[in-house]
Amino acid sequence: MSTIDEHTSGQIAQANASGRTPVVFIHGLWLLASSWDRWGVVFDEAGYAPVLAEVFAGKTVGQVADHYAEVIGGLEKKPAVIGHSFGGLLTEIVAGRGLSAASVAIDAAPFRGVLPLPISSLRSAKPVLGNPANRHRAVPLTYDQFRYAFANAVSEEEARQLYDTFVVPASGVPLFQAAAANLNPWSEAKVDTQNPDRGPLLMVSGEKDNIAPRAISQAAYKKQLKNPGITEFVEVPGRGHALTIDSGWCEVANLALAFVQRFV
């Protein structure tokens, strides 16, 4: 049974009809696909066909990865894939399956084998992990929780605006899976870092990110360096986890676009 909604099916059909190289955007927890709208415009104007697929709530990491594999399977050209936060992890999973022509993982959640667990990451995840019952719930963030986890590097006024504009409750399941990934040999939060068909990968880290600080991104980068494909790492100075949606989003979008343009 297909997991693709009518809106996403329309985007797939439009991408195929355009003859352009598609770019699939994968959002993370507490955000919707619409958080990529401005990025879609940038990539469209650069000659690509953006596909902003929505993720169904309550799904596991593996189910969401399979959903995006189905989305990509409907495309006539191998796409570039760009993801943020848990979407960054999913981008690495999809790339590890050999489904992406080029990939950009931004402040990606950790996968099995990535060992650092900084205090700021634990504090950011506490609203979900602090209650085991949240595994099967949609968990909202309070403004203060969002301010610490996402919007610590912007002004109070901008943080409020971002919270009111973008934030939605998020499924607890993926966070519990990521937290237990190194304890579970069968974890779905795992990435094939050595597949020679992975393609070029850019890993982007916000200098002030509290959810996925540099220690996590750097450890994942070192794992990805084992791949024969091109693997690059960029730290964006002065930016937090909201770097894809805050007032400096265009800088990060252009960084990702420049990487994609080198390969597709």
Side-chain angles (χ1 to χ4, degrees):
M1 181 179 175
S2 176
T3 64
I4 301 176
D5 62 280
E6 186 175 343
H7 179 66
T8 304
S9 294
Q11 291 185 72
I12 293 171
Q14 189 174 6
N16 289 338
S18 74
R20 297 175 167 190
T21 297
V23 180
V24 176
F25 293 90
I26 309 181
H27 65 88
L29 299 178
W30 293 293
L31 299 176
L32 296 175
S34 56
S35 63
W36 291 113
D37 282 352
R38 296 174 296 182
W39 285 62
V41 172
V42 169
F43 277 77
D44 178 65
E45 291 177 348
Y48 295 93
V51 178
L52 285 62
E54 196 62 77
V55 175
F56 294 116
K59 302 300 184 184
T60 67
V61 171
Q63 288 170 327
V64 177
D66 290 344
H67 167 68
Y68 278 103
E70 184 182 356
V71 169
I72 292 170
L75 294 167
E76 294 173 359
K77 288 188 175 182
K78 200 173 190 179
V81 179
I82 299 174
H84 169 247
S85 195
F86 258 89
L89 167 61
L90 289 160
T91 295
E92 293 182 79
I93 292 173
V94 166
R97 294 183 183 184
L99 301 178
S100 174
S103 307
V104 182
I106 304 167
D107 285 341
F111 53 85
R112 178 171 170 79
V114 175
L115 299 178
L117 197 57
I119 296 296
S120 67
S121 297
L122 292 171
R123 181 176 167 186
S124 297
K126 188 177 179 181
V128 177
L129 300 180
N131 182 351
N134 285 338
R135 184 181 181 92
H136 304 292
R137 293 175 178 165
V139 184
L141 285 181
T142 66
Y143 168 73
D144 287 341
Q145 290 164 344
F146 173 77
R147 176 74 163 138
Y148 178 81
F150 274 79
N152 59 302
V154 300
S155 69
E156 185 79 22
E157 180 182 5
E158 183 175 357
R160 286 279 180 190
Q161 182 184 22
L162 293 173
Y163 182 76
D164 292 340
T165 302
F166 291 107
V167 179
V168 296
S171 172
V173 176
L175 268 176
F176 280 90
Q177 288 184 291
N182 288 321
L183 304 174
N184 178 9
W186 301 278
S187 174
E188 294 179 350
K190 60 185 177 183
V191 172
D192 183 352
T193 57
Q194 300 187 43
N195 182 355
D197 294 325
R198 186 207 66 185
L201 171 66
L202 172 64
M203 305 187 71
V204 180
S205 176
E207 179 194 10
K208 295 185 176 181
D209 193 309
N210 280 335
I211 294 182
R214 185 184 176 104
I216 286 177
S217 298
Q218 194 76 44
Y221 170 63
K222 288 179 180 177
K223 293 280 185 183
Q224 290 285 8
L225 280 174
K226 297 176 182 177
N227 193 279
I230 293 170
T231 308
E232 297 180 3
F233 181 91
V234 174
E235 182 176 78
V236 185
R239 305 295 292 283
H241 202 67
L243 77 174
T244 57
I245 57 172
D246 66 24
S247 56
W249 69 270
C250 197
E251 174 193 0
V252 187
N254 286 327
L255 182 71
L257 175 61
F259 183 81
V260 170
Q261 286 176 322
R262 286 165 53 193
F263 304 104
V264 289

